[in-house]
Amino acid sequence: EVLPPLIPQVSCGPVDNFSIDPFLPAGLVLDTTTGEISGVALEIHGPISHTVTASNSSGESFFSISIEVAPSAPCNLSYPATDLTLAVGEAMLDMIPSIGCGEVDLFQVSPDLPAGIVLDPVSGVLAGTPSEASAATLYEIQASNPQGESSVLLLITVFPQAPCELEYPVDEIVLTVGEELPALLPSSGCGSAENFSIEPALPAGLVLDPVSGDISGVAAEIHGPIAHVITASNVSGQSSVSVTFEIVLPIPPCFLSYPETELVLTVGTP
């Protein structure tokens, strides 16, 4: 900051020389002839009391002035990217900020960052491994010192992991027409599935729940055997598994018999 010239007033005899103790902060100067103090403050300083002396061969006069050079406010805060797309379980590259003007005393962010991502309050570095999915959200990061602040907005989105290792309890199902299929419940790893689909369509009477992935129903028609591919998916990817369905007619009756092949009965006789 430029200091407008400070011009002293002095009475009585003329001044031959002006001096100051201790030395002025870097960038400021005392004109030893006029006593004017001016310049551009270059370094943090004080507050310190400085004594200015106006003197001639007959004596001297003193004046005490306290000078403090405070740091300038941070400015031009920025990061290498302002739109971050991250994935659960995948470590992000450290984001190191760039900052100008005054030194930063504190970095802070609002609202709270997604779970697993942290802001170093001293260095301003963003780092971590996201542990939960998070919708696209604007985060304001602020760098501050007592003189002021500088801020920047970052858009951060955390996608879930894709589903993996989708499976059902069995991979081959044989039913008869009219037989009920107890609900088949899927299991999968990694990220949660948002949708289940199947190709080709299930046999008539059987249904796939698109949210839970359960397969249930009552077989209505002869079918297959045909392999059906079930897919569990979310915004990050998908996992698939093949299950074969066959619907057959009930086995016809056979070998009907009775204990006797010829009966002779009398009316009214037990």
Side-chain angles (χ1 to χ4, degrees), residues 15-82:
V15 178
D16 291 338
N17 182 72
F18 287 89
S19 62
I20 192 167
D21 184 59
F23 291 123
L24 287 167
L28 302 185
V29 294
L30 170 72
D31 188 308
T32 58
T33 301
T34 64
E36 177 181 292
I37 300 173
S38 62
V40 178
L42 300 177
E43 296 178 358
I44 298 172
H45 177 88
I48 294 177
S49 180
H50 298 258
T51 300
V52 181
T53 302
S55 63
N56 64 20
S57 58
S58 300
E60 54 194 13
S61 179
F62 305 96
F63 183 83
S64 181
I65 181 171
S66 179
I67 300 176
E68 179 181 5
V69 180
S72 56
C75 67
N76 303 324
L77 174 63
S78 66
Y79 282 84
T82 57

Side-chain angles (χ1 to χ4, degrees), residues 168-170 173-175 179-186 206-207 213-219 245:
Y168 282 83
V170 294
I173 298 171
V174 179
L175 301 171
E179 183 180 355
E180 182 176 0
L181 172 67
L184 288 178
L185 310 181
L206 303 185
V207 293
D214 295 358
I215 300 174
S216 60
V218 177
F245 288 86

Side-chain angles (χ1 to χ4, degrees), residues 163 166 168 188 192-198 208-213 230-235 237-239:
L166 175 65
Y168 282 83
S188 63
S192 298
E194 296 174 353
N195 182 71
F196 288 85
S197 60
I198 192 165
L208 169 72
D209 187 309
V211 176
S212 67
I230 301 137
T231 300
S233 62
N234 64 20
V235 293
Q238 62 188 37
S239 178

Side-chain angles (χ1 to χ4, degrees), residues 39-254:
V40 178
L42 300 177
E43 296 178 358
I44 298 172
H45 177 88
I48 294 177
S49 180
H50 298 258
T51 300
V52 181
T53 302
S55 63
N56 64 20
S57 58
S58 300
E60 54 194 13
S61 179
F62 305 96
F63 183 83
S64 181
I65 181 171
S66 179
I67 300 176
E68 179 181 5
V69 180
S72 56
C75 67
N76 303 324
L77 174 63
S78 66
Y79 282 84
T82 57
D83 188 347
L84 304 179
T85 300
L86 309 174
V88 170
E90 296 182 11
M92 65 179 289
L93 295 175
D94 288 359
M95 296 277 288
I96 301 172
S98 173
I99 188 75
C101 306
E103 293 185 2
V104 178
D105 289 342
L106 177 68
F107 287 89
Q108 51 193 341
V109 62
S110 180
D112 291 341
L113 290 166
I117 302 175
V118 294
L119 172 72
D120 188 303
V122 177
S123 68
V125 172
L126 271 177
T129 301
S131 58
E132 296 179 5
S134 175
T137 303
L138 278 174
Y139 298 87
E140 182 180 22
I141 297 178
Q142 185 182 90
S144 63
N145 67 20
Q147 306 308 310
E149 62 192 41
S150 179
S151 62
V152 65
L153 291 174
L154 301 183
L155 181 66
I156 302 178
T157 307
V158 181
F159 287 116
Q161 288 181 303
C164 66
E165 300 176 356
L166 175 65
E167 61 180 11
Y168 282 83
V170 294
D171 57 13
E172 292 186 6
I173 298 171
V174 179
L175 301 171
T176 59
V177 173
E179 183 180 355
E180 182 176 0
L181 172 67
L184 288 178
L185 310 181
S187 64
S188 63
C190 308
S192 298
E194 296 174 353
N195 182 71
F196 288 85
S197 60
I198 192 165
E199 182 67 34
L202 284 167
L206 303 185
V207 293
L208 169 72
D209 187 309
V211 176
S212 67
D214 295 358
I215 300 174
S216 60
V218 177
E221 297 177 357
I222 296 173
H223 177 89
I226 295 176
H228 297 257
V229 177
I230 301 137
T231 300
S233 62
N234 64 20
V235 293
S236 299
Q238 62 188 37
S239 178
S240 298
V241 66
S242 178
V243 178
T244 298
F245 288 86
E246 182 177 8
I247 313 298
V248 298
L249 289 172
I251 298 174
C254 64

